Amino acid sequence: MPVAQNAIDFRAVGQVFATESGPLTALDAVDLSIAQHEFVAVLGPSGCGKSTLLRLTAGLMLPSEGAVSVFRQPVTRPRDDVGIVFQQATLLPWASVLDNVTFPAKHKRGRVSAMDRDRAAEVIAAVGLKGFEARLPAELSGGMQQRVGIARALFLNPDILLMDEPFSALDALTRDAMGFELLKLWQASPKTVMFITHSIPEAVLLADRVIVMSARPGRIIADIPVPLGRPRDETALRAPEVQDFAAHLRDLLIAKEAAQ
Amino acid sequence: MSAKADPDLKAVTGSLTRKAPSLPLTERLIAMPVVLPLLTFAVILVLWESATRVFAIPSFILPAPTRIIEGFSAVPPARWGAHVWATLRVALIGYLVAIVVSLPIAVGLAKSRLMSRAFYPLLVVIQSVPVVAVAPIIIVVLGTDDAPRVVITFMIAFFPLVVSMTTGLMATPPELIELSRSLRAPQYREITQIRLPYAIPYIFSGLKISVTLAVIGAVVAEFVAADVGIGFFIQFSTSMFRLPQAWAGLVVLVAMSLLLFQAVSLAQRVFFPWSLPKERR
Ligand SMILES: Nc1ncnc2c1ncn2[C@@H]1O[C@H](COP(=O)(O)OP(=O)(O)O)[C@@H](O)[C@H]1O
Ligand SMILES: [Mg+2]
């Protein structure tokens, strides 16, 4: 790796869960480095350990083997500079958009300051929800709810953004639109992004690099840069070399499924 | 479009708009909120009244509705007030005690697998004890003022509250718990800011069940030992063969339960409208 500082490092990480049917190896010998401000997509079938990878990075669990570090510090507990976006927006149904976005402040410090509210207004505008501050989640569409989820993750201005299949619950059109908007956000305010997905087009559209994983045990079977410059749009996605790349990813995913 | 098509179209839409407001009578009755149940109730009352007259049923077996109304006036209003207040007071105090006690227990059961393993079976055993059978023992132990009656009410109202609260506290999406942990927030805020509000719909279904159970508890306690209260009044009237009076007491009890139930529902609608299903907000 060049001099650029690594934001996330996995060294020989293994994760074994004790389950009722015996130990389950969710991750095996995972080595992974993500540079600062890099956008990395993690692609794999469900159950291959993608969310486990994310939880380890977030410090929500400790690896059974190997070491996970963030900005060269071993991860021993959750850090302030890591934000998480979940598959479901999981907003608080009783709280307005504004209160949902400022919730990290209220939850962590017990109160919401005027500065917090300014910051919330900023991120709410950034995700395109200006004017919806007073709405309740039930009054929003799925796509808008996930925007609130993203705003909540951006609220504390994290250096690292962990996204666990954030758009997989949305319909196809909303999903594409959200992808482009995420790229805009990321370009306006660069962050290290670990983006988990099982959609090949989504990975190709968004990421600098795609990590492909296999299931049982979860291993990294490929780690490939996306042959596509930035900024990106729909037309760039139709270029033949991009289509070839997507086909290659599909082969990798299918080949390992067949091998099982 | 041809010129001919227009009148046809008009004819079609015309017949549609003419038809729309005249739904069949049954459909309109179903759509109206209170009318149908009231109508049913009125019909039953009329049948009841005529049956008691036609078959000359003695009033100690089944008094006619008009006789029950007379039963109301057999007792002065102040006396009714005293009976109602005695029962209502015990029911409400027992209910409040049940709420206050069940909350920390539910939090413990929801947060700690150890506590849930250790205490849940015990709770089920306590719940399985027929309170009616224990009531006399409790009265002997605690005396004859409000205390034993509150305890009996508490015992009946308590269990559904613990179960609904525990279920609600565990119904939080795991992602929100992970969000809480990722923020390294104090533990108690996970409960006060996430788990408890999330449990509100569950808590209210428990609160609704328990409030009517609390009235039953108060009446059971009065059956065992009391000199005032609707339960006492019903028992006393029955022993004197004043059955219309006893039925009047029963009507008061039903009204009390309904009002309390509606009060709890109203509290949910006013303070936690988001916790109701969309169509009922
Ligand atoms: N806390 C846990 N306890 C036991 N097994 C788990 C736990 N978390 C995940 N697993 C198992 O580990 C495997 C990988 O899970 P996960 O990382 O959620 O996969 P993915 O996100 O790729 O679908 C799955 O088989 C899952 O059942
Ligand atoms: Mg997952």
Side-chain angles (χ1 to χ4, degrees):
Chain A
M1 274 272 132
V3 223
Q5 195 195 0
N6 278 347
I8 303 171
D9 280 291
F10 278 65
R11 289 284 158 263
V13 169
Q15 184 66 47
V16 182
F17 291 114
T19 67
E20 271 162 30
S21 51
L24 184 149
T25 308
L27 291 177
D28 184 41
V30 168
D31 281 296
L32 172 66
S33 294
I34 299 179
Q36 190 168 16
H37 298 172
E38 196 177 13
F39 197 128
V40 171
V42 180
L43 191 64
S46 47
C48 71
K50 305 185 295 294
S51 296
T52 305
L53 211 62
L54 182 138
R55 287 203 185 91
L56 287 168
T57 314
L60 290 169
M61 55 166 76
L62 298 178
S64 6
E65 279 167 47
V68 178
S69 39
V70 165
F71 294 119
R72 291 162 194 273
Q73 293 158 338
V75 175
T76 53
R77 58 173 197 167
R79 302 167 55 105
D80 290 345
D81 52 2
V82 176
I84 311 176
V85 179
F86 302 97
Q87 181 170 355
Q88 304 288 335
T90 48
L91 305 175
L92 308 173
W94 57 88
S96 66
V97 166
L98 181 69
D99 291 343
N100 264 291
V101 173
T102 53
F103 180 71
K106 183 164 185 206
H107 199 53
K108 197 173 170 63
R109 301 192 282 266
R111 51 182 234 96
V112 177
S113 66
M115 240 169 69
D116 290 330
R117 270 186 282 274
D118 291 346
R119 168 68 185 157
E122 209 174 290
V123 286
I124 288 172
V127 299
L129 285 180
K130 214 182 164 106
F132 291 91
E133 289 84 351
R135 298 289 187 89
L136 288 179
E139 300 165 349
L140 304 179
S141 69
M144 288 162 97
Q145 289 185 19
Q146 194 53 291
R147 284 163 201 259
V148 181
I150 293 172
R152 179 177 66 189
L154 293 177
F155 171 73
L156 292 176
N157 200 16
D159 293 311
I160 297 177
L161 194 56
L162 305 176
M163 308 182 84
D164 195 348
E165 307 188 24
F167 306 146
S168 66
L170 306 178
D171 63 85
L173 281 179
T174 313
R175 188 175 182 153
D176 289 351
M178 296 284 285
F180 284 112
E181 287 197 35
L182 176 62
L183 282 184
K184 259 190 239 151
L185 278 175
W186 176 68
Q187 261 139 11
S189 151
K191 298 189 183 308
T192 309
V193 181
M194 183 194 264
F195 187 97
I196 288 170
T197 179
H198 49 229
S199 156
I200 294 172
E202 198 170 62
V204 174
L205 168 67
L206 297 175
D208 295 317
R209 190 149 65 94
V210 178
I211 311 277
V212 185
M213 293 185 66
S214 74
R216 259 148 255 180
R219 281 206 185 101
I220 293 179
I221 55 170
D223 181 342
I224 334 169
V226 177
L228 196 56
R230 291 187 193 272
R232 295 172 182 178
D233 53 24
E234 290 95 335
T235 46
L237 279 178
R238 287 192 218 111
E241 67 268 27
V242 176
Q243 292 293 320
D244 288 349
F245 178 69
H248 177 54
L249 291 178
R250 196 165 297 120
D251 289 343
L252 283 169
L253 280 171
I254 292 170
K256 85 191 168 202
E257 297 254 297
Q260 274 165 27
Chain B
M1 232 187 253
S2 76
K4 252 191 186 168
D6 266 77
D8 285 351
L9 201 69
K10 231 180 235 159
V12 171
T13 50
S15 72
L16 273 181
T17 43
R18 237 179 294 131
K19 250 203 164 132
S22 62
L23 278 168
L25 182 65
T26 48
E27 286 297 321
R28 273 188 294 163
L29 273 177
I30 290 171
M32 275 184 252
V34 205
V35 179
L36 211 49
L38 275 184
L39 211 62
T40 318
F41 190 58
V43 169
I44 290 176
L45 282 185
V46 169
L47 286 179
W48 179 351
E49 183 77 36
S50 11
T52 47
R53 287 176 189 227
V54 170
F55 302 111
I57 301 173
S59 75
F60 61 86
I61 292 183
L62 183 69
T66 44
R67 294 270 295 150
I68 296 174
I69 294 169
E70 283 168 30
F72 275 104
S73 45
V75 180
R79 194 69 195 133
W80 274 119
H83 289 312
V84 167
W85 172 237
T87 307
L88 191 63
R89 188 183 62 229
V90 169
L92 284 181
I93 297 176
Y95 183 54
L96 289 182
V97 173
I99 294 171
V100 170
V101 171
S102 57
L103 188 60
I105 293 181
V107 169
L109 291 178
K111 283 290 287 176
S112 146
R113 296 210 317 153
L114 185 78
M115 265 200 59
S116 125
R117 277 288 159 81
F119 289 106
Y120 202 78
L122 191 66
L123 285 176
V124 175
V125 169
I126 294 176
Q127 163 67 8
S128 313
V129 174
V131 176
V132 186
V134 190
I137 305 175
I138 294 174
I139 301 271
V140 169
V141 174
L142 291 177
T144 51
D145 57 353
D146 271 359
R149 292 197 271 279
V150 167
V151 168
I152 291 164
T153 306
F154 160 83
M155 283 182 69
I156 288 188
F158 164 78
F159 194 72
L161 279 174
V162 173
V163 172
S164 62
M165 282 182 188
T166 311
T167 313
L169 288 170
M170 299 205 297
T172 320
E175 288 92 343
L176 277 178
I177 304 304
E178 291 202 322
L179 177 69
S180 171
R181 286 184 49 215
S182 78
L183 291 167
R184 282 179 287 121
Q187 273 277 315
Y188 75 89
R189 280 201 204 126
E190 177 197 305
I191 296 186
T192 57
Q193 294 185 351
I194 299 178
R195 285 189 187 267
L196 262 181
Y198 242 99
I200 288 289
Y202 297 84
I203 293 178
F204 266 92
S205 56
L207 285 174
K208 285 184 209 160
I209 296 171
S210 282
V211 80
T212 46
L213 287 179
V215 174
I216 295 177
V219 169
V220 165
E222 286 167 3
F223 278 176
V224 178
D227 46 19
V228 66
I230 303 288
F232 159 78
F233 175 77
I234 290 175
Q235 210 186 28
F236 175 76
S237 304
T238 314
S239 67
M240 298 310 233
F241 274 95
R242 291 180 199 150
L243 265 293
Q245 266 185 43
W247 279 79
L250 193 63
V251 171
V252 170
L253 270 186
V254 171
M256 191 190 285
S257 288
L258 282 177
L259 282 177
L260 289 173
F261 184 89
Q262 290 302 330
V264 176
S265 303
L266 185 69
Q268 183 177 15
R269 255 201 313 279
V270 170
F271 297 112
F272 309 98
W274 53 266
S275 70
L276 291 164
K278 250 189 197 149
E279 63 272 16
R280 287 183 37 217
R281 270 174 213 176

